[in-house]
Short mmCIF file of all heavy atoms in Angstrom, two decimals:
data_model
loop_
_atom_site.label_atom_id
_atom_site.label_comp_id
_atom_site.label_asym_id
_atom_site.label_seq_id
_atom_site.Cartn_x
_atom_site.Cartn_y
_atom_site.Cartn_z
N MET A 1 -64.53 77.72 -53.27
CA MET A 1 -63.32 77.06 -53.85
C MET A 1 -62.46 76.57 -52.65
O MET A 1 -62.08 77.40 -51.82
CB MET A 1 -62.56 78.00 -54.72
CG MET A 1 -61.29 77.41 -55.25
SD MET A 1 -60.40 78.57 -56.31
CE MET A 1 -61.10 78.19 -57.88
N PRO A 2 -62.19 75.30 -52.63
CA PRO A 2 -61.37 74.82 -51.52
C PRO A 2 -59.91 75.27 -51.63
O PRO A 2 -59.37 75.39 -52.73
CB PRO A 2 -61.49 73.30 -51.62
CG PRO A 2 -61.79 73.05 -53.07
CD PRO A 2 -62.56 74.25 -53.54
N ALA A 3 -59.35 75.51 -50.53
CA ALA A 3 -57.93 75.95 -50.52
C ALA A 3 -57.08 74.69 -50.71
O ALA A 3 -57.42 73.60 -50.27
CB ALA A 3 -57.58 76.60 -49.20
N LEU A 4 -55.99 74.88 -51.41
CA LEU A 4 -55.07 73.79 -51.60
C LEU A 4 -54.36 73.46 -50.27
O LEU A 4 -53.90 74.38 -49.57
CB LEU A 4 -54.02 74.14 -52.65
CG LEU A 4 -54.56 74.21 -54.09
CD1 LEU A 4 -53.48 74.70 -54.99
CD2 LEU A 4 -55.07 72.84 -54.53
N ALA A 5 -54.33 72.22 -49.95
CA ALA A 5 -53.65 71.83 -48.72
C ALA A 5 -52.12 71.94 -48.95
O ALA A 5 -51.62 71.44 -49.92
CB ALA A 5 -54.00 70.38 -48.34
N ALA A 6 -51.51 72.62 -48.03
CA ALA A 6 -50.04 72.74 -48.10
C ALA A 6 -49.43 71.49 -47.54
O ALA A 6 -49.58 71.19 -46.34
CB ALA A 6 -49.62 73.98 -47.38
N ARG A 7 -48.78 70.75 -48.39
CA ARG A 7 -48.11 69.55 -47.88
C ARG A 7 -46.67 69.85 -47.59
O ARG A 7 -46.01 70.46 -48.39
CB ARG A 7 -48.23 68.43 -48.92
CG ARG A 7 -49.63 67.94 -49.11
CD ARG A 7 -49.67 66.67 -49.88
NE ARG A 7 -49.00 65.60 -49.13
CZ ARG A 7 -48.80 64.40 -49.68
NH1 ARG A 7 -49.11 64.12 -50.88
NH2 ARG A 7 -48.15 63.47 -48.94
N SER A 8 -46.27 69.32 -46.45
CA SER A 8 -44.86 69.51 -46.08
C SER A 8 -43.98 68.66 -46.98
O SER A 8 -44.26 67.48 -47.21
CB SER A 8 -44.66 69.13 -44.64
OG SER A 8 -43.27 69.17 -44.35
N THR A 9 -42.97 69.25 -47.47
CA THR A 9 -42.00 68.50 -48.30
C THR A 9 -40.85 67.97 -47.44
O THR A 9 -39.90 67.37 -47.96
CB THR A 9 -41.44 69.35 -49.42
OG1 THR A 9 -40.86 70.50 -48.90
CG2 THR A 9 -42.55 69.71 -50.38
N LYS A 10 -40.97 68.27 -46.16
CA LYS A 10 -39.89 67.89 -45.27
C LYS A 10 -39.91 66.36 -45.09
O LYS A 10 -40.96 65.81 -44.80
CB LYS A 10 -40.05 68.57 -43.89
CG LYS A 10 -38.81 68.57 -43.06
CD LYS A 10 -39.05 69.43 -41.82
CE LYS A 10 -37.75 69.60 -41.07
NZ LYS A 10 -37.96 70.40 -39.86
N GLU A 11 -38.83 65.74 -45.35
CA GLU A 11 -38.76 64.29 -45.19
C GLU A 11 -37.70 63.92 -44.14
O GLU A 11 -36.76 64.66 -43.94
CB GLU A 11 -38.37 63.63 -46.50
CG GLU A 11 -39.46 63.81 -47.56
CD GLU A 11 -39.02 63.23 -48.89
OE1 GLU A 11 -38.18 62.32 -48.92
OE2 GLU A 11 -39.54 63.63 -49.91
N PHE A 12 -37.97 62.81 -43.55
CA PHE A 12 -37.03 62.30 -42.56
C PHE A 12 -35.87 61.61 -43.28
O PHE A 12 -36.07 60.70 -44.04
CB PHE A 12 -37.67 61.33 -41.63
CG PHE A 12 -36.73 60.69 -40.63
CD1 PHE A 12 -36.17 61.44 -39.62
CD2 PHE A 12 -36.40 59.33 -40.77
CE1 PHE A 12 -35.27 60.87 -38.72
CE2 PHE A 12 -35.52 58.76 -39.87
CZ PHE A 12 -34.95 59.52 -38.86
N HIS A 13 -34.68 62.09 -43.02
CA HIS A 13 -33.50 61.47 -43.62
C HIS A 13 -32.66 60.83 -42.52
O HIS A 13 -32.10 61.59 -41.67
CB HIS A 13 -32.65 62.50 -44.36
CG HIS A 13 -33.36 63.00 -45.55
ND1 HIS A 13 -33.45 62.27 -46.72
CD2 HIS A 13 -33.97 64.19 -45.83
CE1 HIS A 13 -34.11 62.98 -47.61
NE2 HIS A 13 -34.43 64.16 -47.11
N PRO A 14 -32.61 59.55 -42.47
CA PRO A 14 -31.73 58.91 -41.45
C PRO A 14 -30.27 59.20 -41.78
O PRO A 14 -29.93 59.71 -42.84
CB PRO A 14 -32.03 57.42 -41.61
CG PRO A 14 -32.58 57.28 -43.00
CD PRO A 14 -33.27 58.58 -43.37
N SER A 15 -29.45 58.88 -40.82
CA SER A 15 -28.02 59.10 -41.02
C SER A 15 -27.52 58.36 -42.28
O SER A 15 -28.05 57.28 -42.60
CB SER A 15 -27.26 58.60 -39.81
OG SER A 15 -27.68 59.22 -38.64
N PRO A 16 -26.59 58.95 -42.96
CA PRO A 16 -26.00 58.22 -44.10
C PRO A 16 -25.51 56.84 -43.68
O PRO A 16 -25.03 56.66 -42.62
CB PRO A 16 -24.87 59.11 -44.52
CG PRO A 16 -25.18 60.46 -43.98
CD PRO A 16 -25.97 60.21 -42.71
N ARG A 17 -25.71 55.92 -44.57
CA ARG A 17 -25.33 54.53 -44.26
C ARG A 17 -23.86 54.45 -43.91
O ARG A 17 -23.02 54.97 -44.60
CB ARG A 17 -25.65 53.69 -45.50
CG ARG A 17 -25.60 52.23 -45.18
CD ARG A 17 -26.16 51.45 -46.33
NE ARG A 17 -26.82 50.24 -45.82
CZ ARG A 17 -27.16 49.23 -46.62
NH1 ARG A 17 -26.96 49.27 -47.89
NH2 ARG A 17 -27.74 48.18 -46.10
N GLY A 18 -23.65 53.78 -42.79
CA GLY A 18 -22.27 53.55 -42.41
C GLY A 18 -21.71 54.55 -41.44
O GLY A 18 -20.66 54.36 -40.87
N SER A 19 -22.42 55.65 -41.24
CA SER A 19 -21.87 56.67 -40.40
C SER A 19 -21.74 56.26 -38.93
O SER A 19 -20.84 56.67 -38.25
CB SER A 19 -22.71 57.94 -40.48
OG SER A 19 -24.00 57.71 -39.95
N ALA A 20 -22.70 55.50 -38.47
CA ALA A 20 -22.69 55.06 -37.07
C ALA A 20 -22.27 53.62 -36.89
O ALA A 20 -22.30 53.11 -35.81
CB ALA A 20 -24.07 55.25 -36.46
N LEU A 21 -21.86 52.98 -37.97
CA LEU A 21 -21.49 51.58 -37.89
C LEU A 21 -20.00 51.44 -37.69
O LEU A 21 -19.23 52.24 -38.27
CB LEU A 21 -21.93 50.87 -39.11
CG LEU A 21 -23.45 50.81 -39.35
CD1 LEU A 21 -23.80 50.22 -40.70
CD2 LEU A 21 -24.12 50.02 -38.23
N PRO A 22 -19.57 50.45 -36.94
CA PRO A 22 -18.14 50.29 -36.70
C PRO A 22 -17.45 49.68 -37.92
O PRO A 22 -18.08 49.15 -38.82
CB PRO A 22 -18.09 49.34 -35.51
CG PRO A 22 -19.35 48.55 -35.61
CD PRO A 22 -20.38 49.51 -36.17
N THR A 23 -16.16 49.81 -37.93
CA THR A 23 -15.37 49.17 -38.94
C THR A 23 -14.46 48.16 -38.30
O THR A 23 -14.07 48.28 -37.14
CB THR A 23 -14.51 50.22 -39.69
OG1 THR A 23 -13.73 50.93 -38.75
CG2 THR A 23 -15.39 51.18 -40.50
N CYS A 24 -14.12 47.16 -39.07
CA CYS A 24 -13.24 46.08 -38.57
C CYS A 24 -11.86 46.63 -38.24
O CYS A 24 -11.23 47.25 -39.08
CB CYS A 24 -13.17 44.99 -39.62
SG CYS A 24 -12.09 43.64 -39.13
N PRO A 25 -11.40 46.38 -37.04
CA PRO A 25 -10.04 46.86 -36.67
C PRO A 25 -8.92 46.11 -37.39
O PRO A 25 -7.76 46.55 -37.38
CB PRO A 25 -9.96 46.66 -35.16
CG PRO A 25 -10.99 45.61 -34.87
CD PRO A 25 -12.09 45.72 -35.91
N VAL A 26 -9.25 44.99 -38.01
CA VAL A 26 -8.24 44.18 -38.72
C VAL A 26 -8.13 44.57 -40.15
O VAL A 26 -7.07 44.92 -40.66
CB VAL A 26 -8.58 42.69 -38.55
CG1 VAL A 26 -7.61 41.86 -39.36
CG2 VAL A 26 -8.54 42.27 -37.10
N CYS A 27 -9.31 44.55 -40.85
CA CYS A 27 -9.24 44.80 -42.30
C CYS A 27 -9.94 46.10 -42.69
O CYS A 27 -10.01 46.41 -43.87
CB CYS A 27 -9.83 43.61 -43.05
SG CYS A 27 -11.61 43.42 -42.84
N ALA A 28 -10.51 46.81 -41.70
CA ALA A 28 -11.15 48.13 -41.93
C ALA A 28 -12.38 48.02 -42.79
O ALA A 28 -12.91 49.02 -43.29
CB ALA A 28 -10.17 49.10 -42.54
N ASP A 29 -12.92 46.82 -42.94
CA ASP A 29 -14.22 46.63 -43.64
C ASP A 29 -15.29 47.21 -42.76
O ASP A 29 -15.25 47.09 -41.53
CB ASP A 29 -14.43 45.20 -44.00
CG ASP A 29 -15.49 45.06 -45.06
OD1 ASP A 29 -15.92 46.05 -45.66
OD2 ASP A 29 -15.89 43.89 -45.32
N SER A 30 -16.34 47.77 -43.34
CA SER A 30 -17.45 48.33 -42.55
C SER A 30 -18.44 47.20 -42.20
O SER A 30 -18.72 46.30 -43.00
CB SER A 30 -18.13 49.41 -43.29
OG SER A 30 -18.63 48.95 -44.53
N MET A 31 -18.93 47.27 -40.95
CA MET A 31 -19.89 46.31 -40.48
C MET A 31 -21.28 46.72 -40.89
O MET A 31 -21.62 47.90 -40.84
CB MET A 31 -19.79 46.20 -38.95
CG MET A 31 -18.44 45.85 -38.46
SD MET A 31 -17.98 44.18 -39.00
CE MET A 31 -16.34 44.05 -38.30
N VAL A 32 -22.06 45.75 -41.27
CA VAL A 32 -23.43 46.05 -41.69
C VAL A 32 -24.43 45.86 -40.58
O VAL A 32 -25.28 46.70 -40.35
CB VAL A 32 -23.77 45.23 -42.94
CG1 VAL A 32 -25.21 45.51 -43.37
CG2 VAL A 32 -22.84 45.48 -44.09
N ALA A 33 -24.33 44.74 -39.93
CA ALA A 33 -25.31 44.41 -38.89
C ALA A 33 -24.60 43.59 -37.80
O ALA A 33 -23.76 42.78 -38.09
CB ALA A 33 -26.49 43.67 -39.42
N ALA A 34 -25.06 43.85 -36.58
CA ALA A 34 -24.47 43.10 -35.44
C ALA A 34 -24.99 41.65 -35.48
O ALA A 34 -26.09 41.38 -35.84
CB ALA A 34 -24.83 43.78 -34.18
N GLU A 35 -24.09 40.75 -35.07
CA GLU A 35 -24.53 39.32 -35.02
C GLU A 35 -25.47 39.12 -33.85
O GLU A 35 -26.43 38.34 -34.04
CB GLU A 35 -23.27 38.46 -34.72
CG GLU A 35 -22.31 38.38 -35.87
CD GLU A 35 -22.66 37.22 -36.80
OE1 GLU A 35 -23.02 36.15 -36.30
OE2 GLU A 35 -22.54 37.46 -38.01
N ALA A 36 -25.25 39.79 -32.78
CA ALA A 36 -26.11 39.59 -31.61
C ALA A 36 -26.05 40.86 -30.75
O ALA A 36 -25.15 41.68 -30.84
CB ALA A 36 -25.67 38.37 -30.80
N SER A 37 -27.00 41.00 -29.86
CA SER A 37 -27.02 42.11 -28.93
C SER A 37 -27.52 41.61 -27.58
O SER A 37 -28.28 40.63 -27.52
CB SER A 37 -27.90 43.26 -29.44
OG SER A 37 -29.23 42.84 -29.61
N ALA A 38 -27.06 42.29 -26.56
CA ALA A 38 -27.50 41.90 -25.22
C ALA A 38 -27.51 43.11 -24.32
O ALA A 38 -26.60 43.94 -24.38
CB ALA A 38 -26.56 40.86 -24.62
N PHE A 39 -28.54 43.25 -23.53
CA PHE A 39 -28.59 44.32 -22.57
C PHE A 39 -27.78 44.00 -21.35
O PHE A 39 -28.01 43.00 -20.67
CB PHE A 39 -30.01 44.64 -22.18
CG PHE A 39 -30.75 45.52 -23.17
CD1 PHE A 39 -31.51 44.96 -24.18
CD2 PHE A 39 -30.67 46.88 -23.11
CE1 PHE A 39 -32.17 45.76 -25.12
CE2 PHE A 39 -31.30 47.70 -23.98
CZ PHE A 39 -32.07 47.14 -25.00
N LEU A 40 -26.79 44.85 -21.03
CA LEU A 40 -25.99 44.61 -19.83
C LEU A 40 -26.69 45.20 -18.61
O LEU A 40 -26.75 44.60 -17.56
CB LEU A 40 -24.63 45.28 -20.00
CG LEU A 40 -23.80 44.77 -21.21
CD1 LEU A 40 -22.50 45.52 -21.27
CD2 LEU A 40 -23.59 43.30 -21.16
N THR A 41 -27.29 46.37 -18.85
CA THR A 41 -28.14 46.99 -17.84
C THR A 41 -29.33 47.56 -18.60
O THR A 41 -29.45 47.34 -19.81
CB THR A 41 -27.42 48.13 -17.08
OG1 THR A 41 -27.22 49.23 -17.98
CG2 THR A 41 -26.07 47.64 -16.53
N ASP A 42 -30.16 48.30 -17.90
CA ASP A 42 -31.29 48.93 -18.59
C ASP A 42 -30.84 49.96 -19.60
O ASP A 42 -31.55 50.26 -20.55
CB ASP A 42 -32.23 49.60 -17.58
CG ASP A 42 -33.06 48.57 -16.82
OD1 ASP A 42 -33.08 47.38 -17.24
OD2 ASP A 42 -33.64 48.93 -15.79
N ASP A 43 -29.62 50.53 -19.35
CA ASP A 43 -29.16 51.64 -20.17
C ASP A 43 -28.03 51.26 -21.13
O ASP A 43 -27.71 52.02 -22.02
CB ASP A 43 -28.63 52.75 -19.25
CG ASP A 43 -29.70 53.30 -18.37
OD1 ASP A 43 -30.89 53.04 -18.62
OD2 ASP A 43 -29.36 53.98 -17.38
N ILE A 44 -27.46 50.13 -20.91
CA ILE A 44 -26.27 49.73 -21.77
C ILE A 44 -26.57 48.46 -22.49
O ILE A 44 -26.99 47.48 -21.94
CB ILE A 44 -25.05 49.59 -20.87
CG1 ILE A 44 -24.76 50.87 -20.14
CG2 ILE A 44 -23.85 49.17 -21.72
CD1 ILE A 44 -23.60 50.75 -19.15
N VAL A 45 -26.33 48.54 -23.81
CA VAL A 45 -26.49 47.32 -24.63
C VAL A 45 -25.18 47.05 -25.35
O VAL A 45 -24.44 47.95 -25.68
CB VAL A 45 -27.63 47.52 -25.67
CG1 VAL A 45 -27.33 48.63 -26.66
CG2 VAL A 45 -27.93 46.22 -26.42
N SER A 46 -24.85 45.78 -25.43
CA SER A 46 -23.59 45.39 -26.13
C SER A 46 -23.96 44.67 -27.41
O SER A 46 -24.99 43.98 -27.51
CB SER A 46 -22.75 44.52 -25.26
OG SER A 46 -23.40 43.26 -25.06
N TYR A 47 -23.15 44.92 -28.46
CA TYR A 47 -23.38 44.29 -29.72
C TYR A 47 -22.15 43.41 -30.07
O TYR A 47 -21.03 43.86 -29.86
CB TYR A 47 -23.54 45.35 -30.83
CG TYR A 47 -24.83 46.11 -30.70
CD1 TYR A 47 -24.85 47.41 -30.19
CD2 TYR A 47 -26.06 45.55 -31.08
CE1 TYR A 47 -26.04 48.12 -30.10
CE2 TYR A 47 -27.24 46.26 -31.00
CZ TYR A 47 -27.23 47.54 -30.49
OH TYR A 47 -28.40 48.26 -30.38
N LEU A 48 -22.43 42.29 -30.60
CA LEU A 48 -21.38 41.40 -31.07
C LEU A 48 -21.30 41.53 -32.60
O LEU A 48 -22.29 41.35 -33.31
CB LEU A 48 -21.68 39.93 -30.74
CG LEU A 48 -20.78 38.89 -31.38
CD1 LEU A 48 -19.31 39.03 -30.91
CD2 LEU A 48 -21.27 37.48 -31.11
N TRP A 49 -20.10 41.94 -33.04
CA TRP A 49 -19.87 42.13 -34.50
C TRP A 49 -18.90 41.10 -34.99
O TRP A 49 -17.93 40.73 -34.32
CB TRP A 49 -19.28 43.50 -34.75
CG TRP A 49 -20.09 44.64 -34.20
CD1 TRP A 49 -20.05 45.12 -32.93
CD2 TRP A 49 -21.09 45.40 -34.88
NE1 TRP A 49 -20.93 46.17 -32.83
CE2 TRP A 49 -21.61 46.34 -34.01
CE3 TRP A 49 -21.62 45.34 -36.21
CZ2 TRP A 49 -22.61 47.23 -34.37
CZ3 TRP A 49 -22.61 46.24 -36.56
CH2 TRP A 49 -23.10 47.17 -35.66
N THR A 50 -19.19 40.54 -36.16
CA THR A 50 -18.27 39.62 -36.80
C THR A 50 -18.02 40.09 -38.19
O THR A 50 -18.97 40.31 -38.96
CB THR A 50 -18.83 38.19 -36.80
OG1 THR A 50 -19.16 37.78 -35.47
CG2 THR A 50 -17.86 37.21 -37.37
N CYS A 51 -16.77 40.25 -38.54
CA CYS A 51 -16.43 40.74 -39.88
C CYS A 51 -16.68 39.66 -40.94
O CYS A 51 -16.22 38.54 -40.76
CB CYS A 51 -14.94 41.16 -39.87
SG CYS A 51 -14.43 41.79 -41.47
N ASP A 52 -17.41 40.03 -41.96
CA ASP A 52 -17.67 39.09 -43.05
C ASP A 52 -16.42 38.81 -43.85
O ASP A 52 -16.35 37.80 -44.52
CB ASP A 52 -18.77 39.66 -43.96
CG ASP A 52 -20.15 39.57 -43.29
OD1 ASP A 52 -20.33 38.77 -42.37
OD2 ASP A 52 -21.04 40.32 -43.68
N THR A 53 -15.54 39.76 -43.87
CA THR A 53 -14.36 39.66 -44.73
C THR A 53 -13.28 38.79 -44.11
O THR A 53 -12.75 37.88 -44.73
CB THR A 53 -13.82 41.06 -45.03
OG1 THR A 53 -14.82 41.81 -45.62
CG2 THR A 53 -12.63 40.95 -46.00
N CYS A 54 -12.93 39.05 -42.84
CA CYS A 54 -11.82 38.37 -42.22
C CYS A 54 -12.26 37.49 -41.02
O CYS A 54 -11.47 36.71 -40.49
CB CYS A 54 -10.72 39.33 -41.80
SG CYS A 54 -11.18 40.33 -40.36
N GLY A 55 -13.53 37.64 -40.62
CA GLY A 55 -13.98 36.76 -39.53
C GLY A 55 -13.68 37.26 -38.15
O GLY A 55 -14.04 36.61 -37.18
N TYR A 56 -13.05 38.43 -38.04
CA TYR A 56 -12.71 38.98 -36.73
C TYR A 56 -13.96 39.41 -35.96
O TYR A 56 -14.86 39.98 -36.56
CB TYR A 56 -11.80 40.17 -36.88
CG TYR A 56 -11.34 40.76 -35.60
CD1 TYR A 56 -10.31 40.21 -34.89
CD2 TYR A 56 -11.92 41.93 -35.09
CE1 TYR A 56 -9.89 40.72 -33.69
CE2 TYR A 56 -11.52 42.50 -33.91
CZ TYR A 56 -10.49 41.89 -33.23
OH TYR A 56 -10.08 42.42 -32.03
N GLY A 57 -14.02 39.03 -34.71
CA GLY A 57 -15.19 39.36 -33.91
C GLY A 57 -14.86 40.34 -32.77
O GLY A 57 -13.75 40.22 -32.24
N PHE A 58 -15.76 41.24 -32.48
CA PHE A 58 -15.51 42.15 -31.34
C PHE A 58 -16.87 42.66 -30.84
O PHE A 58 -17.89 42.43 -31.47
CB PHE A 58 -14.60 43.31 -31.74
CG PHE A 58 -15.15 44.18 -32.85
CD1 PHE A 58 -15.79 45.36 -32.54
CD2 PHE A 58 -15.02 43.80 -34.16
CE1 PHE A 58 -16.30 46.16 -33.57
CE2 PHE A 58 -15.54 44.58 -35.17
CZ PHE A 58 -16.13 45.79 -34.89
N VAL A 59 -16.80 43.26 -29.66
CA VAL A 59 -18.05 43.70 -29.00
C VAL A 59 -17.95 45.18 -28.80
O VAL A 59 -16.90 45.74 -28.45
CB VAL A 59 -18.16 42.96 -27.64
CG1 VAL A 59 -19.33 43.56 -26.83
CG2 VAL A 59 -18.34 41.48 -27.86
N THR A 60 -19.06 45.84 -29.04
CA THR A 60 -19.18 47.25 -28.74
C THR A 60 -20.27 47.46 -27.70
O THR A 60 -21.20 46.67 -27.62
CB THR A 60 -19.50 48.13 -29.97
OG1 THR A 60 -20.73 47.66 -30.54
CG2 THR A 60 -18.40 48.01 -31.02
N LYS A 61 -20.12 48.48 -26.93
CA LYS A 61 -21.15 48.80 -25.91
C LYS A 61 -21.72 50.19 -26.20
O LYS A 61 -21.02 51.13 -26.53
CB LYS A 61 -20.53 48.76 -24.50
CG LYS A 61 -20.12 47.37 -24.11
CD LYS A 61 -19.49 47.40 -22.73
CE LYS A 61 -18.96 45.98 -22.39
NZ LYS A 61 -18.23 46.01 -21.13
N HIS A 62 -23.01 50.27 -26.01
CA HIS A 62 -23.66 51.54 -26.26
C HIS A 62 -24.56 51.90 -25.06
O HIS A 62 -25.31 51.07 -24.60
CB HIS A 62 -24.53 51.47 -27.54
CG HIS A 62 -23.75 51.13 -28.76
ND1 HIS A 62 -23.19 52.05 -29.58
CD2 HIS A 62 -23.42 49.93 -29.24
CE1 HIS A 62 -22.56 51.47 -30.55
NE2 HIS A 62 -22.64 50.18 -30.39
N ALA A 63 -24.45 53.15 -24.63
CA ALA A 63 -25.26 53.60 -23.54
C ALA A 63 -26.40 54.47 -24.07
O ALA A 63 -26.19 55.29 -24.93
CB ALA A 63 -24.41 54.42 -22.55
N PHE A 64 -27.53 54.17 -23.58
CA PHE A 64 -28.70 54.95 -23.98
C PHE A 64 -29.03 55.96 -22.89
O PHE A 64 -29.06 55.60 -21.71
CB PHE A 64 -29.94 54.03 -24.20
CG PHE A 64 -29.75 53.15 -25.35
CD1 PHE A 64 -29.38 51.80 -25.19
CD2 PHE A 64 -29.94 53.59 -26.64
CE1 PHE A 64 -29.21 50.96 -26.28
CE2 PHE A 64 -29.78 52.78 -27.74
CZ PHE A 64 -29.42 51.47 -27.55
N ARG A 65 -29.25 57.14 -23.25
CA ARG A 65 -29.72 58.15 -22.29
C ARG A 65 -31.22 58.15 -22.21
O ARG A 65 -31.88 58.21 -23.21
CB ARG A 65 -29.23 59.55 -22.71
CG ARG A 65 -27.75 59.76 -22.49
CD ARG A 65 -27.42 61.21 -22.80
NE ARG A 65 -25.99 61.28 -23.07
CZ ARG A 65 -25.47 62.16 -23.94
NH1 ARG A 65 -26.24 63.01 -24.56
NH2 ARG A 65 -24.17 62.18 -24.14
N LYS A 66 -31.68 58.08 -21.05
CA LYS A 66 -33.12 58.12 -20.88
C LYS A 66 -33.60 59.52 -21.05
O LYS A 66 -33.03 60.48 -20.54
CB LYS A 66 -33.50 57.55 -19.46
CG LYS A 66 -33.28 56.08 -19.37
CD LYS A 66 -33.74 55.54 -18.05
CE LYS A 66 -33.58 54.03 -18.04
NZ LYS A 66 -33.94 53.44 -16.75
N ILE A 67 -34.67 59.63 -21.81
CA ILE A 67 -35.22 60.96 -22.08
C ILE A 67 -36.15 61.35 -20.93
O ILE A 67 -37.11 60.60 -20.65
CB ILE A 67 -35.98 60.96 -23.40
CG1 ILE A 67 -35.00 60.63 -24.54
CG2 ILE A 67 -36.63 62.32 -23.65
CD1 ILE A 67 -35.66 60.40 -25.87
N ALA A 68 -35.86 62.43 -20.30
CA ALA A 68 -36.73 62.91 -19.22
C ALA A 68 -37.69 63.97 -19.75
O ALA A 68 -37.30 64.92 -20.42
CB ALA A 68 -35.87 63.52 -18.11
N CYS A 69 -38.92 63.74 -19.51
CA CYS A 69 -39.95 64.73 -19.91
C CYS A 69 -40.30 65.62 -18.73
O CYS A 69 -40.74 65.15 -17.69
CB CYS A 69 -41.21 64.01 -20.39
SG CYS A 69 -40.95 63.00 -21.83
N ASN A 70 -40.00 66.87 -18.88
CA ASN A 70 -40.28 67.83 -17.82
C ASN A 70 -41.65 68.46 -18.00
O ASN A 70 -41.98 68.93 -19.03
CB ASN A 70 -39.20 68.91 -17.75
CG ASN A 70 -37.86 68.32 -17.37
OD1 ASN A 70 -37.82 67.29 -16.65
ND2 ASN A 70 -36.82 68.91 -17.88
ZN1 LIG B 1 -12.23 42.27 -41.00
#
C-alpha cells in the first residue's frame, strides 16, 4: 500500500496590497504602479510615480542590498 504523500499546505503570501507602495503627498491616494523606473547605480533604483487622482508626480529611490552567499 503506497503511503500518502504529505503535501505542504504552506503557501507564499506576498505583502498585503499597498503596504510597500507610496501614497500621494498631496491627496494621500495610494499609488498602484510606478510610471517609470531607472537604475541610478547597480544598487539604487528610482521610481517615478504619478498620482492618478491629482496628477502630482514624485520620485522615490530604493536601495537594494546585495545578498552575499558565504
Ligand atoms: Zn494625488
Side-chain angles (χ1 to χ4, degrees):
M1 178 180 269
L4 291 174
R7 292 192 65 186
S8 173
T9 57
K10 198 173 188 180
E11 294 177 24
F12 175 69
H13 292 285
S15 302
R17 194 168 211 195
S19 64
L21 296 173
T23 55
C24 177
V26 175
C27 68
D29 196 9
S30 58
M31 303 295 177
V32 178
E35 289 272 318
S37 62
F39 278 93
L40 302 180
T41 69
D42 285 347
D43 299 344
I44 301 175
V45 64
S46 67
Y47 291 104
L48 170 64
W49 303 87
T50 304
C51 180
D52 287 337
T53 303
C54 71
Y56 182 80
F58 61 98
V59 172
T60 59
K61 292 177 185 175
H62 302 268
F64 293 101
R65 284 186 202 147
K66 289 185 176 176
I67 299 171
C69 296
N70 294 329

